[in-house]
C-alpha cells in the first residue's frame, strides 16, 4: 500500500468502531421498543377486559 497505508488502516479501524457502535445502539433500541410494545399490548388487553 505504500504511503497510503497510514491512511487506509486507521480508516478501516474507524469504520469497524462506527459500525459496532451503530449495531449496538440499534440492538439496544430494538430491545427497548419490544419492551414498550409488550407494555402497550398488556395495557390494551387490560382495557379490553374492563369493557366486558
Amino acid at each position: 500500500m505504500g504511503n497510503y497505508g497510514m491512511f487506509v488502516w486507521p480508516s478501516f479501524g474507524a469504520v469497524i468502531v462506527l459500525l459496532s457502535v451503530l449495531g449496538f445502539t440499534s440492538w439496544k433500541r430494538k430491545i427497548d421498543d419490544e419492551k414498550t410494545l409488550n407494555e402497550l399490548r398488556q395495557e390494551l388487553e387490560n382495557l379490553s377486559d374492563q369493557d366486558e
Side-chain angles (χ1 to χ4, degrees), residues 13-32:
V15 167
I16 289 171
V17 169
L18 180 63
L19 288 176
S20 298
V21 168
L22 289 174
F24 176 77
T25 56
S26 176
W27 171 77
K28 181 67 173 139
R29 289 189 68 178
K30 178 183 177 283
I31 298 298
D32 293 342

Side-chain angles (χ1 to χ4, degrees), residues 26-49:
S26 176
W27 171 77
K28 181 67 173 139
R29 289 189 68 178
K30 178 183 177 283
I31 298 298
D32 293 342
D33 289 346
E34 286 176 343
K35 286 179 184 176
T36 303
L37 178 60
N38 288 332
E39 290 172 0
L40 290 172
R41 283 182 176 164
Q42 186 66 36
E43 185 176 334
L44 181 62
E45 187 177 305
N46 290 340
L47 288 174
S48 65
D49 289 343

